[in-house]
Amino acid sequence: MEQPRATVSHYKFKLMPEFFVNYHEIARQSPDSKVTTQPSLGLIDQPYSAPSNTQPDDEPKKPWERFAAYINQLNAESPDSVTYKIIYLTRHGLGIHNVFEAKVGREAWNNYWSHLDGDGTVSWVDAKLTEAGIQQAEALSQFWTDAVTTEKVSLPESLYTSPLARCLETTRLVFSQPMEQSGEPFQPVVKELLRERLTDHTCDKRSTRTWIEGHYPSYLIESGFSEEDLLWSPDRWESVEEHVARKQKVLEELFAQDSSSVISLTVHSYAISAILRACGYEEFRVREGSTIALLVRGDRIGLS
């Protein structure tokens, strides 16, 4: 695996928790200590300051419509060095590796099974979704379709996904229908740095670029994406600090290069934790096949 280079952060990210429900409290109250998709994606209905040049609406707006307008206002009135983005984090549906780990136990999985390609019956190299995982993603897609239609939840303006198969397929199952029904293009971007924390587990080794292009021809693959997996190694774990730095880098790329104010990232459990830490926020766990919504402020603090 390439060693991370010592780099200077060009953005400072801050999660703005006051707009959404308390995810930590939800996790504490959950039987498995994991957050699930919340009604209205957890948005708290509250008043926002309106621009002075606007007239009252004849019809009251839905909470998400008012929130989206407020974010647009924030971005318009903020200095050029400050950007706000609504970020949807979707954890992939239940994978083959998740089921097998639960079957044999974490210790046996970590010490033995995770280093193999499979058990002779199923393979978990670049682990695929189980049937239950597919059903989770399809149910989440219906949630999105209903939320966009009835509650005017903002659709992602940009879709990004980890290159691991379980995320590629979750992205297709969850977002293709609501995007297409709304007349928006479905063209997710595959980003290498969005993948899970790198371990010596074979489930974290990705497939080739050719395999991804063949199975997901509508997806856009970022420039510089290699044919073979150059990051995974069978004898090295990425430290938590290295993983957070990797997620910091991908957030910097998104804030610097994508003008969209609403973006979606389909990722993994520990990837979500690393993103939260990069935003200076205490991590919590998210259940498979769930979406959470965040508001993140990015302050540009340096130039390359």
Side-chain angles (χ1 to χ4, degrees), residues 20 64 67-69 71-72 75 84-88 154 156 255 260-264 293-296:
F20 292 95
W64 264 99
F67 179 59
I71 300 309
N72 289 336
N75 280 322
Y84 293 86
K85 290 186 185 294
I86 300 168
I87 299 181
Y88 301 131
S154 300
F255 271 71
S260 302
S261 59
V262 187
I263 64 176
S264 167
L294 310 171
L295 178 63
V296 175

Side-chain angles (χ1 to χ4, degrees), residues 37-74:
T37 309
Q38 297 297 298
S40 195
L41 282 175
L43 182 69
I44 298 172
D45 187 3
Q46 57 186 297
Y48 306 105
S49 58
S52 57
N53 61 349
T54 59
Q55 298 298 320
D57 293 318
D58 293 334
E59 295 184 13
K61 297 291 188 181
K62 298 279 189 179
W64 264 99
E65 291 177 298
R66 293 188 291 106
F67 179 59
Y70 176 67
I71 300 309
N72 289 336
Q73 175 193 345
L74 273 180

Side-chain angles (χ1 to χ4, degrees), residues 54-159:
T54 59
Q55 298 298 320
D57 293 318
D58 293 334
E59 295 184 13
K61 297 291 188 181
K62 298 279 189 179
W64 264 99
E65 291 177 298
R66 293 188 291 106
F67 179 59
Y70 176 67
I71 300 309
N72 289 336
Q73 175 193 345
L74 273 180
N75 280 322
E77 296 178 351
S78 295
D80 290 342
S81 60
V82 177
T83 305
Y84 293 86
K85 290 186 185 294
I86 300 168
I87 299 181
Y88 301 131
L89 298 179
T90 299
R91 183 182 174 190
H92 63 77
L94 191 70
I96 290 171
H97 62 308
N98 301 126
V99 172
F100 200 85
E101 178 183 345
K103 174 184 174 182
V104 301
R106 176 160 295 182
E107 184 176 356
W109 169 257
N110 285 335
N111 293 337
Y112 179 71
W113 290 104
S114 65
H115 304 138
L116 305 181
D117 290 351
D119 68 346
T121 302
V122 296
S123 169
W124 48 74
V125 177
D126 194 5
K128 311 300 189 292
L129 296 180
T130 64
E131 186 58 40
I134 292 171
Q135 293 173 1
Q136 288 173 333
E138 290 173 343
L140 184 56
S141 179
Q142 189 59 55
F143 168 89
W144 267 100
T145 299
D146 294 341
V148 169
T149 302
T150 62
E151 301 181 58
K152 306 302 181 184
V153 170
S154 300
L155 270 175
E157 298 166 11
S158 299
L159 293 166

